[in-house]
Amino acid sequence: MQTQQITLNSRPEGMPTTDNFSLDNALLPPLKQGEFLVKNLWMSVDPYMRGRMIDRKSYVKPFVLGEVLEGGAIGEIIESNHNDFPVGAKVSSMNGWRTHYITDGSNHTVLPETPLCESHFLGVLGMPGMTAWTGLNRIAELKAGETLFVSAASGAVGSVVCQLGLLMGAKVVASVGSDEKADALRAMGIEQVINYKTTDSLSAALLAAAPDGIDVYFENVGGEHLFAALNNMNDHGRIAVCGMISQYNDTAPTPGPSNLANIVMKKLKIEGFIVSEHWQHYGEFSQQMGNWLANGQIKAEQTVYEGIEQAPDAFIGLFEGKNRGKMVVKLA
Ligand code: NDP
C-alpha cells in the first residue's frame, strides 16, 4: 500500500510558501498483529502549526525537518488486526498530512455516530469548538448582558465564540477581514460587525459599535486589535488570550501596544490559555455542543480544499483570510 505524505522541507521565514513543503510517496509495510490501516478522509490545518515550524522551545515541540508533518485528522479503518478497532470505524488522530498510515491505535479515538459530516470533529465538535467554549466559560467567565468583542470572528474558533456569546446572552461585537465575512456573521444574528481592513481606526469603530464599552475581549489576533480593545474595555473587564495570529509570521519582535496602562487603570484581568490543558472537560463540552448543533442553535461552517496536494495552500490560506469557519482538507 502506498501513502502520499507531506514533509517540512525548510523552516518558513515570514509568510510560509509552498516551497517549504514537499509531497512524497512511501510504501507502507504489511500489517502486524495489533495494528490497523487507516485511510484519512479529512485533515486539519491550524494556525498553531506555524509555531511548530519554528525551531524553539514552546508548549508543543517543533516539527522536524524532513519528517512527515502532524495534525488533526479523521480517517476510516480499511484493514485491521486489532480487536478494538474494526474495519469501517472512523477514527480521529494526530496523523494528518498523509493519505494512509498503519498504527497500533495509541492516541486514536473511535468517533461516535453522528448525522453531521465527520469533518466537524476537526472544527466545531473538536479542538477549535472546545477552545471557544473554554475561553468564554472557564477563562473570561462571560455573563448574560455583557458586551463581548471577538477578533478573527468568522474563523474556526471565532465563529463559535460569536454564536456561543449570543447563546449566553451577551451583546457581540465582531471583527473580520472582509465584507463577505461580515455579511455571513450578520446572517447569524451578530449585529455589530467591523471589517478591520476598511476602517481607519479600529478603536473608533469599536467605540461606535459598543458605546457602553467591552466587558470581555476574546483575543485571536493581537497587535492593533489588542490596542483597540484595551482602549475600549470597561472596568474589571476580562481578556481571554487565545492567540495572536497577526504576529505568527513576523520576522522581528513586534512592539507591544502603547496603552498597556489601561490594565491598571481599568483593573483588567488578562489570561492566556492553551485548550489542551482543559481537555478533561471535553465530555461536558461535546454533550452541550452536540445538543446545540442538533437544535440548530449553533451552525457549523467549514471551508474545504480538496486533495493532499492542496494542504500547503490551505494552511497558507489561514494567514490570508481565505477561510470562513474551519479550514479543512478533504483527502478522500
Ligand atoms: P481561523 O479559522 O480564525 O483562521 C485564521 C483567520 O485569522 C483568517 O481567516 C483571518 O481572518 C484571520 N487573520 C489571519 N491573519 C490575520 C492578521 N494579520 N490580522 C487579523 N486577522 C488575521 O483560525 P483558528 O480559529 O483556528 O484560530 C484563531 C486563533 O486562535 C489563532 O490565533 C490561533 O492560534 C488561536 N488558537 C488558540 C488555541 C489555544 O488553545 N489557545 C487553540 C486554537 C486556536 P480575517 O479574514 O478575518 O482576517
Side-chain angles (χ1 to χ4, degrees), residues 15 45-49 59 127-128 131-132 151-159 175-178 181 196-197 218-222 225 241-249 272-278 317-327:
M15 182 68 112
V45 289
D46 298 275
Y48 79 86
M49 293 170 174
Y59 65 94
M127 184 276 280
T131 302
S151 53
S154 92
V157 175
S159 62
S175 163
V176 294
S178 76
K181 290 183 178 186
Y196 71 91
K197 288 190 179 160
F218 197 104
E219 165 70 300
N220 284 322
V221 167
H225 278 82
V241 184
C242 174
M244 296 202 173
I245 194 168
S246 71
Q247 299 171 11
Y248 295 174
N249 293 313
F273 70 103
I274 296 294
V275 67
S276 52
E277 288 197 353
H278 299 264
L318 292 170
F319 304 99
E320 300 171 333
K322 296 264 174 73
N323 62 308
R324 238 176 57 204
K326 177 74 187 104
M327 182 75 103

Side-chain angles (χ1 to χ4, degrees), residues 116 120-138 156-157 160-161 164 167 275 278-293 298:
L116 291 170
H120 291 307
F121 283 97
L122 299 173
V124 66
L125 274 168
M127 184 276 280
M130 174 72 185
T131 302
W133 182 89
T134 301
L136 284 186
N137 286 293
R138 300 183 54 77
V157 175
V160 181
V161 174
L164 278 182
L167 276 181
V275 67
H278 299 264
W279 214 255
Q280 70 272 27
H281 303 288
Y282 179 77
E284 187 188 346
F285 155 76
S286 67
Q287 196 176 13
Q288 290 182 11
M289 186 55 79
N291 289 337
W292 288 322
L293 288 165
I298 297 254

Side-chain angles (χ1 to χ4, degrees), residues 114 199 293:
T114 169
T199 47
L293 288 165

Side-chain angles (χ1 to χ4, degrees), residues 6-308:
I6 295 184
T7 54
L8 186 67
N9 251 341
S10 53
R11 300 199 183 277
E13 278 166 34
M15 182 68 112
T17 68
T18 50
D19 290 343
N20 296 127
F21 303 86
S22 77
L23 176 62
D24 313 303
N25 292 324
L27 204 56
L28 295 174
L31 272 194
K32 293 195 209 120
Q33 198 51 41
E35 290 184 336
F36 55 94
L37 172 65
V38 178
K39 172 181 167 183
N40 269 337
L41 306 174
W42 299 90
M43 61 163 270
S44 180
V45 289
D46 298 275
Y48 79 86
M49 293 170 174
R50 179 64 184 87
R52 292 194 68 186
M53 292 175 186
I54 303 169
D55 191 11
R56 67 168 178 211
K57 192 167 182 280
S58 186
Y59 65 94
V60 53
K61 65 181 172 41
F63 290 129
V64 177
L65 282 184
E67 286 195 3
V68 186
L69 291 164
E70 293 169 1
I74 304 293
E76 181 175 352
I77 300 176
I78 57 171
E79 239 184 281
S80 181
N81 285 338
H82 195 307
N83 292 339
D84 300 335
F85 292 92
V87 168
K90 309 265 174 73
V91 286
S92 72
S93 77
M94 285 301 286
N95 292 0
W97 298 92
R98 68 204 82 187
T99 58
H100 298 79
Y101 62 91
I102 290 172
T103 175
D104 63 4
S106 314
N107 302 317
H108 278 62
T109 309
V110 175
L111 295 186
E113 288 295 321
T114 169
L116 291 170
C117 178
E118 62 266 9
S119 59
H120 291 307
F121 283 97
L122 299 173
V124 66
L125 274 168
M127 184 276 280
M130 174 72 185
T131 302
W133 182 89
T134 301
L136 284 186
N137 286 293
R138 300 183 54 77
I139 308 297
E141 300 183 57
L142 179 71
K143 294 175 194 64
E146 291 190 319
T147 299
L148 164 70
F149 175 44
V150 187
S151 53
S154 92
V157 175
S159 62
V160 181
V161 174
C162 287
Q163 296 182 75
L164 278 182
L166 287 186
L167 276 181
M168 292 166 81
K171 175 185 167 187
V172 180
V173 181
S175 163
V176 294
S178 76
D179 289 343
E180 183 223 333
K181 290 183 178 186
D183 288 343
L185 283 183
R186 287 193 193 98
M188 284 179 174
I190 316 293
E191 287 171 19
Q192 297 293 338
V193 190
I194 299 165
N195 179 346
Y196 71 91
K197 288 190 179 160
T198 56
T199 47
D200 293 334
S201 159
L202 193 50
S203 273
L206 200 46
L207 178 62
D212 294 331
I214 306 295
D215 301 300
V216 167
Y217 173 40
F218 197 104
E219 165 70 300
N220 284 322
V221 167
E224 199 192 340
H225 278 82
L226 180 55
F227 178 80
L230 286 169
N231 280 344
N232 285 281
M233 293 301 292
N234 287 330
D235 279 6
H236 300 287
R238 287 93 66 208
I239 303 182
V241 184
C242 174
M244 296 202 173
I245 194 168
S246 71
Q247 299 171 11
Y248 295 174
N249 293 313
D250 283 354
T251 49
T254 323
S258 58
N259 59 351
L260 289 177
N262 280 299
I263 299 169
V264 182
M265 291 185 291
K266 296 177 176 178
K267 294 132 304 196
L268 304 179
K269 182 179 153 195
I270 303 184
E271 185 175 347
F273 70 103
I274 296 294
V275 67
S276 52
E277 288 197 353
H278 299 264
W279 214 255
Q280 70 272 27
H281 303 288
Y282 179 77
E284 187 188 346
F285 155 76
S286 67
Q287 196 176 13
Q288 290 182 11
M289 186 55 79
N291 289 337
W292 288 322
L293 288 165
N295 299 336
Q297 288 168 290
I298 297 254
K299 300 247 180 316
E301 271 205 289
Q302 61 183 10
T303 299
V304 180
Y305 280 45
E306 295 217 14
I308 191 162

